[in-house]
Amino acid sequence: MGLDLRGGVHLVLQAEPNKNGVPITNSDMDKAKAIIAKRVNDLGVSEPIVQADYNNKRIIVDLAGVTDPDKAVDILKTTAKLTLRDAQGNVLLKGDELTDAKGGQDPTNAGGFVVNLTFSTDGAKKFADLTTKYLGQPIGIYLDEKLLTNPKVDTPVLNGQAYINGYATLEAAANHAVLMRSGSLPVSMSIAEKRQVGASLGVDSLNKSIHAGIYSLIFIFLFMLVFYRLPGVVADFSLIVYTLIVLWAFWSFRVVLTLPGIAGFILSIGMAVDFNIIIYERVKEEIRAGKSIRAGVESGFSRAFITVIDAHVTTLIAAITLYIFGSGSIKGFALTLGIGIIVSLFTAITFTRQVLRWTVGINPKMKTFWFGLRGDV
């Protein structure tokens, strides 16, 4: 669940003035915001809110469901300037040349854990030259002026890959990997504010939303049964299958449910029913025109298909646009709505159509009353 339903941590990071007196620009704040957002995503926090306060030179971060705020603070505020240095402390290579960093098991089978580094093309060439030049000598690896390890170069490294060993836990290696992978902050950050926040809407709002969803489903089931009878039964059964598939998709994509996200899901249920209504009304028109029930079902699905596709594709475009340009709970609404639209198309085209075919095939001469028409049609 998201911040509005579960609570989390509210952090305010203050950009510290440069020691050389250079003013902090909005460009610096934008870069810091992007790097912090990347670190948050690498921590596995879903739907974070990361904002820049340009006037006060602050980055405001809201993290849902974080149970260890101190760990999050340490990772987010660390400048993370990675450098490789010689014995005299001279910088030989900067972390800007890195393209990837991941925590893993020590490949030497000596126990412990490492951070695997991958350099860019230019960085790989520089690293190859460096390890060739300093063969047999130590090269110190520093993170924010702190020595991580000081290995001796036994052989030139020509493939642009290396590792930093000496980590006792995989978590420690993974945390450093997050810092190295996201890049270094353009300015130093301090903590101006850190506090736990409760759910802004809470359990009561969640329960009301769930009840609203259940009531809407009951109303939809009754509506489809009264107006469409036998196809309504098929539609209700398809809606149950649709809901199960959507919930499975939410679980698979690790969707974080906020209140807008739940609203997107319920809205997608309405669109799934709308799909069936358009098709069933078209089937009724075909039967009224003199076609048999079986021919009416086939023709109704075929003729209504283009209309339904147009309606769903335009809504899907809107959902994709909201997801790309939105943030926080807006993304959650767009994601749940988009998943629901795709699944509703799938269930209507495959499941609903096939079940209705089977139902009609059992008795092709059944009364039109069972399709919501008068007995004399």
Side-chain angles (χ1 to χ4, degrees), residues 83 135 210 240 272 294 323 332:
T83 54
L135 187 63
I210 293 173
I240 294 172
R294 176 177 286 177
Y323 187 82

Side-chain angles (χ1 to χ4, degrees), residues 347-361:
T347 52
I349 294 169
T350 59
F351 187 83
T352 305
R353 187 172 190 173
Q354 194 60 47
V355 171
L356 201 57
R357 279 174 174 171
W358 289 337
T359 305
V360 173

Side-chain angles (χ1 to χ4, degrees), residues 3-199:
L3 195 69
D4 57 349
L5 299 176
R6 187 179 178 184
V9 177
H10 175 79
L11 301 173
V12 178
L13 306 176
Q14 178 70 57
E16 296 293 325
N18 292 312
K19 295 179 180 179
N20 54 13
V22 178
I24 299 171
T25 64
N26 288 349
S27 177
D28 292 333
M29 295 302 296
D30 285 335
K31 184 178 179 183
K33 175 186 171 184
I35 290 172
I36 288 173
K38 191 174 188 306
R39 291 180 183 180
V40 169
N41 291 330
D42 286 344
L43 282 173
V45 178
S46 299
E47 287 196 19
I49 299 174
V50 182
Q51 306 172 78
D53 178 358
Y54 298 102
N55 293 329
N56 297 309
K57 307 303 179 188
R58 290 180 169 187
I59 302 293
I60 302 164
V61 185
D62 290 308
L63 307 175
V66 172
T67 56
D68 189 354
D70 293 330
K71 170 190 166 185
V73 166
D74 289 340
I75 292 177
L76 296 184
K77 77 182 184 67
T78 301
T79 306
K81 291 183 178 178
L82 182 71
T83 54
L84 276 66
R85 306 184 183 188
D86 61 17
Q88 288 72 42
N90 300 313
V91 176
L92 305 174
L93 188 65
K94 294 183 178 180
D96 299 342
E97 303 288 354
L98 278 178
T99 58
D100 196 16
K102 292 181 179 178
Q105 194 80 33
D106 193 330
T108 63
N109 295 321
F113 301 90
V114 301
V115 174
N116 295 297
L117 307 176
T118 303
F119 290 93
S120 63
T121 303
D122 290 340
K125 186 178 183 304
K126 292 177 182 178
F127 193 61
D129 295 340
L130 191 64
T131 52
T132 301
K133 179 180 178 181
Y134 285 85
L135 187 63
Q137 302 179 46
I139 293 180
I141 301 175
Y142 290 77
L143 187 67
D144 287 345
E145 308 300 325
K146 179 183 178 182
L147 180 65
L148 296 179
T149 184
N150 192 32
K152 188 174 79 169
V153 180
D154 295 325
T155 180
V157 180
L158 307 178
N159 61 358
Q161 296 184 337
Y163 63 86
I164 304 171
N165 59 9
Y167 292 95
T169 65
L170 180 60
E171 182 182 19
N175 288 343
H176 271 178
V178 166
L179 296 173
M180 298 172 196
R181 189 166 61 243
S182 62
S184 59
L185 292 171
V187 292
S188 297
M189 301 293 245
S190 62
I191 298 299
E193 184 181 348
K194 179 186 71 173
R195 57 185 168 87
Q196 294 283 146
V197 294

